[in-house]
Amino acid sequence: MFRTKFFQSSDTEELVKLMTTVLQSSHDGLAICDRNGYVLLYNEAYLQITGIPAEVLNQYSYFEQKDLHMVPDSSAVRAMKTKQMHSVVIDYANGRKAINTATPLLDENQELLYVVGNVRDITELNQLQQELEETRQINTAFQQALEQIRNDIDYDGQLIYRSNLMLRIVALADRFATNDSPILLLGESGVGKDVLANYIHTKSGRTGEFIKINCGAIPDHLLESELFGYEKGAFTGASHAKEGLFELAHSGTIFLDEVGDLPYPLQVKLLNVLQDGKIRRLGGKTSREVNMRIIAATNSDLETMVEQKRFRQDLFYRLNVLSITIPPLRERREDIPALIFYFLKLLEKKYQQDMRVDSDALEALLEYDWPGNIRELKNVVERSYHLSEQGKISLEQLPASIRKVQHAAIPAELSTMDPSLSLKEAVDHFEREYIRRILQETKTMQECADRLGVNISTLVRKKRSLGIK
């Protein structure tokens, strides 16, 4: 310690009082011992950091504390033995980690007088470094995963997914593909029911075509002739015979999209086709056998429609032999990056312009709930691709509804947060409410940790420190 010209106190008692105040006000733990290792002075911080009771310091020397295993290690003992400064990192029994430095004070004959010990708490620093390293590892793994996704995606029309949820659905589709029973695909609009239907047809080994028809897109009076075909002269304008889609699907698969929109009278005829495996053209007198696989899909609640007499119960049971429910995109967010880069690759291949996605834009895309599912995602990617500048998609190129999602994700409690809270209290409050919210939205601790981007041990520690039950 250096003294200025203004320091002129010669009163020993005043000097001792001053130095005692300095020692006590230090955030570091300080302790001074004599040449025999008995502690002469120490401050409150020393007790708090080391967890060593005052009675021990008042009764036992550092040598005795070390020999009796009251402390894991002692830099003071090393300094007294070598007359040199020593530093060690000690994990104390109270869970604190600290740098313990001991500096010997020698007289003019190089004999030991005192040892000054300084204990600096690095528990929080160590935790911060650990969390920083975890964040770096997560970010590195995330970037590697994204790059792997970009490299793995192909253009063979197969399903694009990365989530365990879709993995189980695809495994179920593989099992269903090997038989001829009708399949009913359920799910919101845009989740990819038509893609899964095509996948099942591809895996089935059927040699015929995959025929798709949207039951809600064709007027009722034309739908029957499209499905069943007609003979020449069956109605005005029927100048020649025409095969229906059922016949075209012979040895293949017919996909009836939005089957809930099928007119009630036509439902009876579809039921007969399912039961008999035969169709009759409009105006025809003979029946024709058809060997086809029927896959139906709807985003409507068919059971409710059955109760309301808008859909035949017998047809529902016949179509619902095997069923698969495809979850919405918001329930399988792991698939979002794969789909984004798949659609980007298609655009890059078409327009010969590589594109990358900024991290803030990707974060917003991952947080958005996608009410239009994959169909909406594809449109957003294409729109952003054409609006992008300098080969990158930034947050500004995304629709306003997606840009706002990060603000909407903040818990409502934060808008009424007490402005008198300190920064640490406010941060703790935010963490507590945000983690509690994600815990409520997820089924398991691992899923919650994945959503938060931390490992499960960090989540457990956060729950305990923030008092989250």
Side-chain angles (χ1 to χ4, degrees):
M1 182 177 291
F2 298 97
R3 182 190 306 181
T4 72
K5 64 180 181 179
F6 302 105
F7 186 83
Q8 298 177 356
S9 174
S10 59
D11 187 337
T12 303
E13 186 66 28
E14 182 182 349
L15 183 59
V16 169
K17 183 178 180 181
L18 174 62
M19 296 308 299
T20 301
T21 303
V22 171
L23 287 173
Q24 191 62 25
S25 63
S26 173
H27 291 290
D28 285 354
L30 297 172
I32 301 174
C33 71
D34 61 17
R35 68 181 67 193
N36 297 315
Y38 287 101
V39 179
L40 306 176
L41 297 169
Y42 59 88
N43 64 357
E44 181 66 27
Y46 186 88
L47 300 177
Q48 294 295 327
I49 296 172
T50 65
I52 300 173
E55 304 82 61
V56 171
L57 298 179
N58 294 331
Q59 184 175 354
Y60 298 97
S61 71
Y62 279 130
F63 291 102
E64 292 169 327
Q65 292 178 37
K66 184 71 168 58
D67 292 340
L68 295 174
H69 303 290
M70 294 178 176
V71 291
D73 201 347
S74 174
S75 60
V77 170
R78 299 188 186 193
M80 284 183 280
K81 288 180 177 180
T82 63
K83 297 182 182 181
Q84 294 181 348
M85 186 179 71
H86 280 275
S87 292
V88 292
V89 177
I90 299 178
D91 290 300
Y92 290 101
N94 62 355
R96 298 274 188 171
K97 181 187 285 286
I99 298 176
N100 193 315
T101 301
T103 304
L105 298 180
L106 309 177
D107 62 15
E108 62 273 8
N109 297 319
Q110 298 300 303
E111 295 297 326
L112 182 66
L113 292 175
Y114 306 103
V115 173
V116 178
N118 181 284
V119 182
R120 173 157 296 180
D121 190 352
I122 60 170
T123 307
E124 288 191 16
L125 177 61
N126 193 59
Q127 289 177 347
L128 288 173
Q129 288 177 332
Q130 181 180 350
E131 291 177 5
L132 178 61
E133 182 58 29
E134 290 172 355
T135 302
R136 286 174 177 167
Q137 291 177 1
I138 290 169
N139 183 60
T140 300
F142 184 60
Q143 294 299 329
Q144 291 174 346
L146 292 183
E147 188 61 30
Q148 188 64 40
I149 288 172
R150 292 184 72 99
N151 295 334
D152 286 350
I153 292 173
D154 52 32
Y155 304 98
D156 63 359
Q158 297 301 299
L159 298 173
I160 305 299
Y161 63 92
R162 286 297 182 275
S163 65
N164 290 330
L165 199 55
M166 280 303 296
L167 180 64
R168 291 193 292 268
I169 287 173
V170 173
L172 190 61
D174 287 336
R175 288 171 54 193
F176 289 174
T178 58
N179 60 67
D180 295 329
S181 299
I183 297 177
L184 181 61
L185 302 181
L186 304 171
E188 295 178 6
S189 178
V191 294
K193 296 186 288 292
D194 55 340
V195 178
L196 185 61
N198 199 352
Y199 174 84
I200 293 172
H201 167 72
T202 302
K203 292 292 183 178
S204 70
R206 285 182 161 268
T207 58
E209 296 183 47
F210 176 78
I211 305 295
K212 174 183 175 181
I213 183 167
N214 191 317
C215 299
I218 301 176
D220 293 357
H221 65 283
L222 296 179
L223 186 57
E224 183 177 0
S225 62
E226 286 294 320
L227 289 173
F228 291 88
Y230 53 82
E231 297 289 356
K232 180 178 179 181
F235 51 83
T236 303
S239 58
H240 59 276
K242 180 184 177 182
E243 287 182 317
L245 295 177
F246 284 145
E247 287 183 72
L248 291 175
H250 182 68
S251 298
T253 302
I254 188 164
F255 176 52
L256 302 177
D257 198 10
E258 301 305 336
V259 72
D261 295 333
L262 196 67
Y264 201 84
L266 199 53
Q267 293 177 22
V268 180
K269 293 191 175 184
L270 175 59
L271 179 62
N272 292 333
V273 173
L274 287 168
Q275 290 175 340
D276 302 334
K278 297 179 180 180
I279 61 101
R280 179 182 294 179
R281 294 179 181 177
L282 270 65
K285 297 180 179 179
T286 59
S287 295
R288 303 167 185 263
E289 289 190 3
V290 286
N291 175 17
M292 62 179 177
R293 173 73 169 279
I294 292 183
I295 301 177
T298 182
N299 59 10
S300 303
D301 186 347
L302 290 186
E303 293 187 63
T304 300
M305 293 178 66
V306 169
E307 294 174 0
Q308 297 171 349
K309 307 298 183 184
R310 294 166 50 207
F311 199 86
R312 291 184 62 93
Q313 186 179 54
D314 47 7
L315 178 59
F316 171 69
Y317 290 141
R318 194 69 187 88
L319 290 173
N320 196 31
V321 176
L322 303 173
S323 66
I324 299 176
T325 300
I326 305 176
L329 203 52
R330 62 183 174 273
E331 294 180 9
R332 47 186 177 104
R333 296 183 186 273
E334 301 95 322
D335 294 335
I336 294 176
L339 290 163
I340 289 172
F341 292 122
Y342 171 71
F343 294 135
L344 276 180
K345 273 204 168 184
L346 294 180
L347 292 167
E348 289 170 350
K349 184 177 181 181
K350 181 176 181 180
Y351 296 105
Q352 299 299 306
Q353 171 67 44
D354 290 343
M355 193 65 58
R356 65 182 181 87
V357 184
D358 279 355
S359 58
D360 54 352
L362 184 60
E363 183 179 351
L365 292 169
L366 290 171
E367 288 293 328
Y368 186 56
D369 278 343
W370 299 105
N373 293 294
I374 298 175
R375 186 180 295 120
E376 181 185 8
L377 175 62
K378 181 180 179 181
N379 291 340
V380 167
V381 171
E382 186 170 357
R383 173 186 182 276
S384 303
Y385 180 90
H386 293 301
L387 289 175
S388 65
E389 298 176 355
Q390 299 178 344
K392 68 175 182 178
I393 295 174
S394 63
L395 187 63
E396 289 71 26
Q397 269 103 45
L398 301 180
S401 58
I402 298 178
R403 295 200 305 271
K404 292 177 181 177
V405 73
Q406 290 172 308
H407 300 290
I410 298 176
E413 292 83 351
L414 295 182
S415 61
T416 57
M417 184 184 293
D418 186 354
S420 66
L421 293 177
S422 68
L423 177 60
K424 185 179 186 308
E425 290 171 333
V427 170
D428 287 347
H429 179 85
F430 174 85
E431 280 193 302
R432 185 182 301 108
E433 296 304 324
Y434 190 72
I435 292 173
R436 182 181 288 125
R437 175 187 170 186
I438 302 302
L439 282 167
Q440 291 172 347
E441 293 178 357
T442 51
K443 297 179 180 179
T444 64
M445 288 282 287
Q446 185 61 59
E447 185 181 351
C448 179
D450 292 341
R451 282 277 301 275
L452 293 171
V454 299
N455 60 39
I456 196 164
S457 62
T458 300
L459 176 58
V460 171
R461 187 173 67 251
K462 286 284 186 184
K463 279 188 63 183
R464 186 184 303 115
S465 64
L466 295 171
I468 300 173
K469 296 182 180 180

